[in-house]
Amino acid sequence: MVYCRYMVLVLEAKFLEGVWWKYGLTLAIAKLGLWLALAYRWQPDLDWGLLLTQSSLVYTCFFTAAFLPFVAGRLQLRLLFWFGLVGFFLAEAAYLFLVLAKFGRVMNLLPFVAFMQLYVTCFGLGVVVELGRYAYNKLME
């Protein structure tokens, strides 16, 4: 009986390797589509050209907020990725609540400000945790 021993090299696959940008782009397009749908629901006689030209800061922030966690994940910052993604969905829930509960009619920027505050808080907490983990690993070396 002949036994053959093979050495097997096991490589850990990188987090979000390959077409990672498609996930971020899909989430960003979904967020922008939902934003446009809510704008149409809120004000059906809305001029789309005026909306897209005057709200460039709003949809740029939405696009960045949707895409940024995936950039962090591609840089192998898994905790920052999860904090950012959870922050995005919590912020989206707050945004939808404020729009559908009609708080946004009283103060137009309230849903946007709530979205950005929740997102930046969660993403910032992820940065603190990631830097703390990095400092801890350096101290342990």
Side-chain angles (χ1 to χ4, degrees):
M1 190 177 269
V2 177
Y3 287 102
C4 215
R5 292 185 179 213
Y6 293 104
M7 181 181 265
V8 177
L9 179 63
V10 178
L11 295 176
E12 182 180 338
K14 286 187 175 181
F15 189 60
L16 292 180
E17 190 172 353
V19 291
W20 62 274
W21 57 272
K22 287 184 181 180
Y23 304 124
L25 190 61
T26 303
L27 188 62
I29 289 172
K31 171 60 185 157
L32 294 178
L34 180 64
W35 176 64
L36 289 173
L38 287 172
Y40 180 72
R41 180 187 180 276
W42 196 352
Q43 190 176 0
D45 59 339
L46 187 66
D47 181 20
W48 294 101
L50 186 65
L51 175 72
L52 293 176
T53 56
Q54 288 185 346
S55 302
S56 61
L57 175 68
V58 172
Y59 63 77
T60 302
C61 288
F62 286 151
F63 187 84
T64 304
F67 207 77
L68 198 57
F70 294 96
V71 172
R74 182 62 182 125
L75 295 173
Q76 304 305 310
L77 303 171
R78 292 182 189 205
L79 290 174
L80 187 56
F81 167 77
W82 288 113
F83 272 92
L85 200 61
V86 167
F88 178 82
F89 286 119
L90 285 175
E92 182 63 27
Y95 183 84
L96 286 174
F97 170 73
L98 290 172
V99 168
L100 296 177
K102 298 184 180 165
F103 289 110
R105 289 187 189 249
V106 177
M107 297 174 63
N108 290 336
L109 286 177
L110 181 65
F112 174 71
V113 170
F115 177 89
M116 291 309 295
Q117 282 182 337
L118 268 169
Y119 178 76
V120 169
T121 300
C122 289
F123 198 80
L125 186 60
V127 167
V128 168
V129 169
E130 196 69 50
L131 288 176
R133 187 180 64 85
Y134 175 77
Y136 177 76
N137 288 340
K138 284 297 180 184
L139 284 173
M140 288 295 127
E141 286 181 357

